[in-house]
Amino acid sequence: MFYRTLIIPLIGLSSVLLVKAIAARRRRNPRRLPLPPGPKGLPLLGNLLDLPQIVPWEGYDKLCKEYGDMIYLKALGQGILVLGSRRRVVDLLDNRAVNYSDRVVLPMIKMMDFDWTFVSMPYGMRWRQHRRAFHQYLNNNAVPKYHPIMNEETKLFLQKIRSNPDQLFTDLQFLFGTTIMRTAYGFDDIRQNESLIHNAEKLVLELAKALVPGRFLVNYLPILRYVPSWFPGAGFKKHFKELAQLNVKTRCPPFQEAKRDVEDGRKGNHPSISFSLIDRLPEAGDPNRADLEAIASGVCAVAYMAGAETTVSSAMALVYILASYLEVQTKAQAEIDKVIGSDRLPLVSDRQDLPYVHAIVKEVGRWYSVVPLGVAHANTEDDEYDGYFIPKGTLIFQNNWAITHDPNIFDRPFEFIPERYLKDGKIDPSAPDPEIAAFGHGRRICPGRHFSNDALFLMAASLLATYNITAPKDDEGNVVPLKLEQRNPSIR
Ligand code: HEM
């Protein structure tokens, strides 16, 4: 309905933009290289109405099968490049990372007040400052500091599901939400964490919905930001405003409280990112203080906003797999019985002695794409690649789902086969790893992956050590086949 109401003014505006764009492109592309292949769009609207909205990663994969493993689309003047194979992703996002690590700050990011997160920051000094601070506390060597928090929360989770097994999915959400919240802020107050976790979940799901290419017109015609809220079809303004308010409510108070804790000498039981960052801030009155404080606050908040929902989605897929593939579960439990026994729970440090459980966690990351189209990169400069012209500022999606389901990389990709990572009873370092795509690419690769891998492994091994996971039964005792609730909001 929104499309229909605004279609005529949009066409007028788009014509002006189009004429300007053509003139500029002539200057920027002197060799007149073609754009990468893709479906022919409508005049002015381009491919806006072609952008797949339902299971878009499969839609883009189909287009790639038709036009080639890299397709170019245009929506109201905004170029969109979809990289559909590992080769294209490596060539551009890894090998030309200096040019391909930017983000287009879409209008709705600002409208939802999400421009504080370095996930959406343009490539540059400010992004680098945030990323460096984040990396310092969540790199591969730093993450073990948080294992005690993971252990405590995982134990609590196991107790909770004993008393109420029907709440498994809610408890999973709480497990990762609380683990990350405690890591970021050091809070132990469960009720406080609960409301923040729910808020963060809502924000992240709404953000992911809004990022699906073509879903919100304002992303392609920024001028729509200024349409009055009462204008028919402008309901998105109210929606984004409410989310912006929720964003402030979720992001600011925890950091302020962590600051008060540090000022009052209260130190949590375990190391937390906020404690270290706040402790190192220069004295009040220092000209750099405000800036460094904003970075510290952003780094803590992004950990739970970017980390909780993603890890929970993977964990849910893992539980679904264990209940659906009983032979996988039995094999994993036999391994745990043999290596750990029944006197204690597994630890992250047991991972190399539990290669089958490790392989299950890897295979979940491949089989179930949490971020199937990645987070769009952008190129800062015009580029020529493989005989094509790629204009600067192109939104570049990576079809991570297609890569982790490419039969040339992963044999029988739609089957769940942990054995594909094993050789002689150990993880085979030469086997292709889902991390070639699951966590993104190049300089923007997910910096929370070490944390997520450890927390997921611990949850999987502990759950397997303690329980049998089965699909629910109906009143007549028949197994009800599980449906993996696709949490990725790109499905309507
Ligand atoms: C299963 C779990 C996870 C998955 C599948 C995942 C996936 C991703 C993907 C695909 C990206 C985009 C990378 C790119 O632009 O190429 C990303 C970025 C990011 N992730 Fe994760 N992630 C997970 C867990 C986490 C956790 C636990 C944290 C924090 C503790 C986290 C923090 C971030 C941040 C801060 C970025 C932005 C990086 C940047 O733009 O420089 N993620 N993640």
Side-chain angles (χ1 to χ4, degrees):
M1 161 162 115
F2 183 57
Y3 286 148
R4 278 186 223 128
T5 325
L6 292 176
I7 216 109
I8 293 175
L10 289 182
I11 289 177
L13 253 171
S14 310
S15 335
V16 177
L17 293 176
L18 190 76
V19 170
K20 280 175 100 178
I22 291 170
R25 211 170 72 209
R26 292 233 161 107
R27 274 196 313 278
R28 289 159 42 191
N29 179 15
R31 294 208 296 151
R32 300 280 172 90
L33 292 177
L35 292 165
K40 215 169 152 37
L42 294 170
L44 307 176
L45 289 181
N47 303 102
L48 184 68
L49 306 179
D50 299 332
L51 302 179
Q53 297 289 311
I54 300 171
V55 202
W57 48 98
E58 288 185 16
Y60 285 115
D61 192 43
K62 267 195 205 125
L63 288 174
C64 281
K65 293 214 161 85
E66 203 179 329
Y67 293 95
D69 61 351
M70 173 175 80
I71 53 167
Y72 188 86
L73 303 132
K74 221 164 192 186
L76 292 169
Q78 171 63 60
I80 300 173
L81 185 69
V82 182
L83 307 176
S85 72
R86 166 124 176 92
R87 175 169 81 99
R88 297 302 188 184
V89 161
V90 171
D91 280 357
L92 295 182
L93 305 190
D94 290 339
N95 295 346
R96 299 188 187 190
V98 176
N99 189 13
Y100 284 84
S101 298
D102 203 12
R103 303 269 198 231
V104 171
V105 184
L106 297 168
M108 115 270 137
I109 297 273
K110 282 190 197 280
M111 292 173 82
M112 285 172 81
D113 193 33
F114 257 119
D115 48 348
W116 57 268
T117 120
F118 73 91
V119 182
S120 54
M121 270 179 206
Y123 186 61
M125 181 56 88
R126 188 117 189 100
W127 166 78
R128 211 168 280 117
Q129 286 172 318
H130 280 77
R131 177 117 188 167
R132 209 178 286 138
F134 186 101
H135 178 79
Q136 198 181 345
Y137 295 101
L138 285 157
N139 68 58
N140 206 13
N141 297 323
V143 167
K145 273 199 298 202
Y146 313 113
H147 286 172
I149 299 179
M150 292 180 192
N151 292 338
E152 283 179 19
E153 291 301 326
T154 305
K155 260 189 216 154
L156 206 66
F157 161 73
L158 296 173
Q159 285 161 13
K160 276 195 197 161
I161 52 177
R162 181 171 299 286
S163 49
N164 199 350
D166 295 340
Q167 292 277 315
L168 177 68
F169 286 123
T170 311
D171 291 338
L172 270 179
Q173 191 180 24
F174 204 63
L175 161 65
F176 293 109
T178 314
T179 305
I180 296 181
M181 193 69 73
R182 288 183 65 189
T183 303
Y185 297 109
F187 298 149
D188 295 336
D189 176 345
I190 288 178
R191 253 175 318 200
Q192 177 183 22
N193 289 346
E194 199 164 4
S195 73
L196 291 172
I197 289 163
H198 288 313
N199 291 352
E201 180 199 22
K202 182 169 165 78
L203 284 167
V204 170
L205 289 175
E206 290 299 333
L207 176 69
K209 265 189 214 166
L211 283 174
V212 173
R215 187 152 292 179
F216 282 99
L217 217 45
V218 64
N219 286 334
Y220 304 97
L221 272 184
I223 200 161
L224 292 179
R225 277 188 77 173
Y226 305 105
V227 169
S229 305
W230 49 262
F231 196 78
F236 69 93
K237 286 195 73 169
K238 183 165 172 266
H239 176 64
F240 287 149
K241 195 171 170 195
E242 281 166 8
L243 292 170
Q245 283 160 351
L246 188 67
N247 200 329
V248 174
K249 213 167 96 187
T250 311
R251 171 169 54 94
C252 300
F255 189 75
Q256 292 310 324
E257 183 167 339
K259 239 171 78 180
R260 277 195 299 276
D261 283 350
V262 175
E263 278 156 15
D264 298 348
R266 282 193 299 274
K267 199 175 165 185
N269 294 333
H270 296 294
S272 69
I273 302 174
S274 64
F275 184 86
S276 311
L277 282 167
I278 293 166
D279 204 37
R280 286 178 195 183
L281 286 174
E283 292 299 313
D286 185 294
N288 295 322
R289 164 97 190 193
D291 212 32
L292 292 171
E293 198 173 312
I295 294 174
S297 158
V299 162
C300 295
V302 81
Y304 74 83
M305 293 251 195
E309 194 52 33
T310 41
T311 313
V312 170
S313 295
S314 240
M316 288 184 178
L318 195 142
V319 170
Y320 166 89
I321 288 290
L322 295 178
S324 309
Y325 292 74
L326 291 183
E327 68 286 3
V328 170
Q329 192 176 155
T330 312
K331 262 189 171 174
Q333 285 172 331
E335 182 180 75
I336 293 172
D337 285 350
K338 193 167 147 216
V339 175
I340 311 284
S342 51
D343 293 342
R344 67 170 178 94
L345 283 171
L347 299 168
V348 177
S349 53
D350 294 315
R351 184 162 41 202
Q352 69 172 26
D353 300 321
L354 296 172
Y356 192 75
V357 180
H358 188 183
I360 292 178
V361 177
K362 276 184 184 291
E363 181 67 341
V364 169
R366 183 198 69 76
W367 186 85
Y368 182 77
S369 299
V370 173
V371 195
L373 289 175
V375 177
H377 288 219
N379 49 334
T380 22
E381 299 297 335
D382 291 334
D383 198 16
E384 292 182 1
Y385 166 62
D386 205 14
Y388 296 111
F389 175 67
I390 304 177
K392 71 175 174 187
T394 297
L395 266 177
I396 301 165
F397 288 93
Q398 320 100 54
N399 198 337
N400 293 329
W401 175 86
I403 297 172
T404 54
H405 290 80
D406 180 346
N408 296 316
I409 305 177
F410 298 100
D411 189 30
R412 291 183 284 153
F414 291 91
E415 292 175 38
F416 191 86
I417 313 175
E419 287 78 2
R420 64 174 89 240
Y421 309 104
L422 299 171
K423 195 172 170 192
D424 303 329
K426 290 197 179 111
I427 292 288
D428 174 5
S430 67
D433 196 298
E435 290 204 13
I436 58 171
F439 289 108
H441 308 275
R443 296 190 183 176
R444 290 283 189 162
I445 193 169
C446 173
R449 63 196 186 283
H450 310 295
F451 186 92
S452 173
N453 283 339
D454 285 5
L456 268 174
F457 171 82
L458 188 69
M459 184 284 279
S462 308
L463 190 65
L464 282 158
T466 325
Y467 296 104
N468 292 322
I469 300 110
T470 49
K473 292 189 175 159
D474 64 18
D475 293 344
E476 274 113 53
N478 303 313
V479 170
V480 182
L482 275 178
K483 281 199 191 115
L484 177 55
E485 187 204 343
Q486 172 60 271
R487 287 176 70 76
N488 191 299
S490 303
I491 288 185
R492 275 179 180 157

